[in-house]
Amino acid sequence: MNLSTVYANALHEQLHELFTLEDIVSLIERPKNKQHGDLAFPCFQLAKQYRQSPSDIAKQLSGAVKGTLIDQTEAIGPYVNVFFRKKEVSKKVLTKVMIEGNDYGSVKNDKGVVSIDFSSPNIAKPFSMGHLRSTVIGQSLALLAQKNGYQPVKINHLGDWGTQFGKLMCAYTKWGSKEEVKSNPIPALMKLYVMFHEKAAQNPSLNDEGRAWFKSLEDGEAEAVQLWKWFKGESLKEFQKVYDLLGVQFDRVQGESFYNDQMNEVVKELEESGLLTESDGAEVVEVGEDMPPCLIKKKDGTTLYATRDLAAAIYRKNTNHFHHALYIVGGEQELHFKQLFHVLKKMGFDWSSHLFHVPFGLILKDGKKMSTRKGQIILLEEVLQEAVQKAKSNMEVKNPHLDDIDHVAKQVGTGAVIFHDLKNERLNSVEFNLDQMLTFEGETGPYVQYTHARAQTILERSVVEVVSTFDGLNDEHSWEVIKLLSEFPKEVQRAYAAFEPSIIAKYTIRLAQSFNSYYGKVKILDHDDQVMNRLALTKSVTIVLKEGLRVLGVQAPPNM
Ligand code: ARG
């Protein structure tokens, strides 16, 4: 139940000649002072129509607005403020959460497939901070899509093709060591790649050799293909460690190379529809005045990142029949996606308007971009392991007798990293500070997890069984929690509509804070006639916190 809608309906009965229900919903505000009411309706827009002052209209309207869940309305200046019947509302909200359980807030109708292209690291390179963001945002959007009635198809579009692999093979055959690559693949390959660039700066003919290697890869020559497969396999093993820690799975791991045999088709189609033009020996598609043309084929006949993305988009539409498709990729690729969508539109695919680039900001360390280039490698797996270690030492202090501390430390450590990333609006940059994200106080994942575990413990300590028959709470302290619980379904929808997991992360923080303040003021387990209501509230909080964390990709340990 959504209280804004309840109030809007009551107002609509009086105002249907002037406003639609949606108009009214969008006008409703939250009073700055909670004592002044639960929601407020401003009357400024009515002043013209009625030729009266907003406060006079507010007075008249407040007498007329009625509803079964409305206790009273009151004109405060130009606003009509509403007070709900706490007991009835809380009974309704708690009953709904208790009955629906994890399904509370889920949209039931089938809205079709969403293709979500996320994570997509580049093989033979470290899994970067940018790929971490893409991974956690993509994972959460897939979970949110599902909760909103869509069927997500999660795709890892690995960067596993391109001239850089020619360079790498060239470097490996000249200076590489099999043992080194085997024992420590990513740093070893990275070292070779860096070495190649240093040497090529002195000796540019190396670049030709690199290109020749890529050409033999594209031509399918055995040695090149074998090396490429090996590098890819080793890289995937490394990436898998990160995915395991984060609890991320994909429906399809289809890297750029997957589309190799679909390229000719795409180029042919562009040719036949007359979209391909020549520019400096390369083949391009013009995409309008305000963007450079989209490069389809290089001088030497090789295809590009964009060509492979064109093939991928068409393939996905034909195989998944998606309703819409998301690309969770950093803001620096904005132009690439604009060009891509534009070319698809020119090709006559009207579904191109259902493709969305979902960009995000940087991860910073002490205000500077955390970079994986220039040989200064940060291995993400090590960062995550460090988070788990730190979570473990924190817990050894807080709860030394905890069973299975390693398992919980993993949930808390990785949860802290994921939560920290997602609580920031996606386009903002995030400062990466492990100690800060791991504290139990403040707006962190561990804080929300801890609140959930605390509520869970109360339920375990209770001698009475929580049932779904209770008559509702009527006090101020519980009311804040009840109102927040009632908002979860709306927040789930808002978060997906804006592709913004931070809406849920912030919501879980608010809910945790309000429950903690309730817990501080009220004796939940006291044996009076309200105990069942308070337990139902506590149980509902555990359900919604756990589900909120779940759609962020964060686990909620029952004990910590
Ligand atoms: N591998 C690319 C990179 O690391 C990201 C790929 C994103 N997805 C796509 N369909 N272009 O920059």
Side-chain angles (χ1 to χ4, degrees):
M1 186 192 34
N2 183 335
L3 290 175
S4 295
T5 318
V6 171
Y7 188 32
N9 272 311
L11 287 160
H12 192 235
E13 275 185 32
Q14 304 301 320
L15 302 171
H16 59 270
E17 278 163 21
L18 295 172
F19 288 125
T20 65
L21 191 62
E22 290 75 47
D23 286 339
I24 297 177
V25 170
S26 70
L27 285 171
I28 289 174
E29 298 174 16
R30 220 175 293 236
K32 291 194 184 64
N33 183 342
K34 282 175 194 157
Q35 257 90 59
H36 288 172
D38 297 317
L39 294 170
F41 179 73
C43 297
F44 305 106
Q45 289 207 19
L46 292 169
K48 248 201 219 123
Q49 267 103 346
Y50 287 133
R51 293 166 192 263
Q52 283 180 34
S53 75
S55 47
D56 283 341
I57 299 169
K59 275 186 209 126
Q60 290 156 34
L61 201 54
S62 76
V65 178
K66 297 260 168 336
T68 49
L69 295 174
I70 292 176
D71 185 22
Q72 53 161 313
T73 51
E74 199 179 304
I76 298 191
Y79 289 91
V80 183
N81 288 10
V82 65
F83 294 84
F84 290 102
R85 292 189 208 275
K86 297 186 179 58
K87 207 171 158 86
E88 282 75 5
V89 170
S90 68
K91 182 175 175 181
K92 265 196 181 331
V93 172
L94 295 177
T95 307
K96 195 164 168 65
V97 181
M98 299 277 285
I99 288 177
E100 296 188 359
N102 302 338
D103 277 337
Y104 179 58
S106 303
V107 175
K108 305 255 158 40
N109 43 336
D110 179 5
K111 297 203 266 185
V113 169
V114 186
S115 134
I116 306 185
D117 176 322
F118 72 111
S119 193
S120 310
N122 301 317
I123 66 168
K125 287 206 185 154
F127 197 106
S128 74
M129 286 292 160
H131 295 120
L132 171 69
R133 289 214 76 184
S134 171
T135 307
V136 301
I137 294 170
Q139 166 81 345
S140 174
L141 288 177
L143 293 162
L144 278 167
Q146 201 165 35
K147 195 145 177 84
N148 276 280
Y150 294 103
Q151 211 182 301
V153 175
K154 300 186 277 179
I155 305 170
N156 194 348
H157 188 78
L158 291 174
D160 63 355
W161 207 249
T163 29
Q164 70 270 30
F165 297 107
K167 294 177 183 171
L168 192 60
M169 287 172 201
C170 176
Y172 175 77
T173 47
K174 284 183 190 303
W175 320 295
S177 128
K178 194 170 182 172
E179 288 65 45
E180 218 176 303
V181 175
K182 273 230 158 93
S183 66
N184 218 353
I186 306 270
L189 293 173
M190 200 53 200
K191 202 171 91 191
L192 287 169
Y193 193 66
V194 171
M195 196 188 267
F196 181 92
H197 281 278
E198 282 164 7
K199 300 221 176 188
Q202 316 285 311
N203 173 13
S205 73
L206 270 176
N207 284 318
D208 297 328
E209 281 187 57
R211 263 192 288 274
W213 268 102
F214 183 55
K215 181 95 175 60
S216 42
L217 180 63
E218 287 222 297
D219 293 343
E221 280 172 30
E223 190 186 1
V225 171
Q226 208 188 339
L227 275 179
W228 172 78
K229 278 198 175 142
W230 179 43
F231 294 161
K232 182 168 167 173
E234 295 295 338
S235 304
L236 279 176
K237 271 192 245 161
E238 291 300 302
F239 297 161
Q240 196 55 45
K241 292 183 193 162
V242 175
Y243 295 139
D244 286 345
L245 276 166
L246 295 173
V248 170
Q249 281 141 18
F250 296 93
D251 299 303
R252 318 231 192 290
V253 181
Q254 290 167 335
E256 293 183 38
S257 67
F258 178 80
Y259 302 97
N260 280 344
D261 60 358
Q262 299 171 38
M263 293 306 206
N264 283 340
E265 189 68 21
V266 176
V267 177
K268 207 172 99 202
E269 210 171 321
L270 288 169
E271 221 157 33
E272 282 171 1
S273 45
L275 293 174
L276 223 48
T277 52
E278 215 214 87
S279 162
D280 287 332
E283 312 220 35
V284 305
V285 176
E286 293 293 340
V287 282
E289 299 281 277
D290 50 346
M291 279 187 279
C294 181
L295 218 58
I296 302 294
K297 232 174 171 183
K298 282 199 222 165
K299 257 190 211 151
D300 61 6
T302 50
T303 55
L304 293 108
Y305 184 53
T307 331
R308 293 187 277 277
D309 255 331
L310 279 175
I314 297 167
Y315 173 84
R316 289 171 192 172
K317 182 66 192 175
N318 290 340
T319 51
N320 301 330
H321 312 287
F322 56 72
H323 174 273
H324 60 276
L326 309 184
Y327 296 86
I328 322 298
V329 187
E332 62 283 358
Q333 291 192 30
E334 191 183 337
L335 177 64
H336 165 74
F337 286 104
K338 272 195 179 155
Q339 292 177 315
L340 175 69
F341 302 163
H342 200 100
V343 173
L344 288 163
K345 188 174 164 200
K346 280 187 109 176
M347 292 174 86
F349 296 122
D350 49 9
W351 48 264
S352 67
S353 61
H354 295 189
L355 306 177
F356 302 98
H357 174 209
V358 181
F360 49 80
L362 302 173
I363 293 194
L364 306 174
K365 182 97 196 159
D366 305 322
K368 287 201 277 295
K369 182 176 174 184
M370 266 178 115
S371 161
T372 46
R373 247 171 268 145
K374 299 179 203 110
Q376 165 219 0
I377 314 179
I378 303 156
L379 287 181
L380 190 58
E381 190 214 337
E382 285 169 15
V383 175
L384 290 173
Q385 294 291 10
E386 193 185 336
V388 173
Q389 270 320 311
K390 288 195 166 176
K392 189 172 169 183
S393 358
N394 287 354
M395 268 166 358
E396 275 161 350
V397 178
K398 213 172 165 79
N399 190 353
H401 304 299
L402 189 64
D403 285 341
D404 207 1
I405 194 163
D406 286 306
H407 181 61
V408 179
K410 192 179 149 196
Q411 295 176 313
V412 174
T414 56
V417 175
I418 298 172
F419 193 92
H420 180 74
D421 187 311
L422 293 180
K423 87 167 187 206
N424 292 285
E425 271 159 50
R426 146 168 87 62
L427 284 168
N428 290 349
S429 292
V430 180
E431 179 71 35
F432 196 88
N433 179 331
L434 275 183
D435 290 319
Q436 204 185 321
M437 56 180 95
L438 280 162
T439 62
F440 288 88
E441 295 88 37
E443 306 185 339
T444 65
Y447 171 74
V448 179
Q449 286 172 317
Y450 184 67
T451 308
H452 166 268
R454 165 188 269 174
Q456 195 67 44
T457 312
I458 299 171
L459 295 173
E460 276 160 27
R461 270 197 279 130
S462 158
V463 283
V464 281
E465 179 91 24
V466 194
V467 291
S468 333
T469 40
F470 37 81
D471 51 2
L473 286 151
N474 210 2
D475 64 295
E476 289 300 328
H477 304 313
S478 64
W479 183 232
E480 291 309 310
V481 182
I482 297 292
K483 278 195 283 186
L484 278 167
L485 287 172
S486 79
E487 284 169 18
F488 184 58
K490 189 186 75 202
E491 297 292 82
V492 166
Q493 288 171 29
R494 252 176 15 102
Y496 190 68
F499 305 135
E500 191 62 90
S502 67
I503 289 178
I504 297 296
K506 293 192 170 115
Y507 169 84
T508 60
I509 293 170
R510 287 201 303 277
L511 181 59
Q513 287 169 340
S514 86
F515 178 75
N516 283 326
S517 105
Y518 178 70
Y519 175 86
K521 289 182 188 124
V522 174
K523 289 209 164 55
I524 295 178
L525 290 175
D526 252 11
H527 278 282
D528 56 18
D529 58 350
Q530 292 296 305
V531 64
M532 195 53 82
N533 285 310
R534 290 191 302 267
L535 285 171
L537 176 141
T538 307
K539 171 105 188 174
S540 298
V541 167
T542 62
I543 291 171
V544 175
L545 283 182
K546 186 171 179 183
E547 185 60 7
L549 288 173
R550 187 191 67 82
V551 294
L552 297 174
V554 176
Q555 289 177 306
N559 263 305
M560 61 186 269

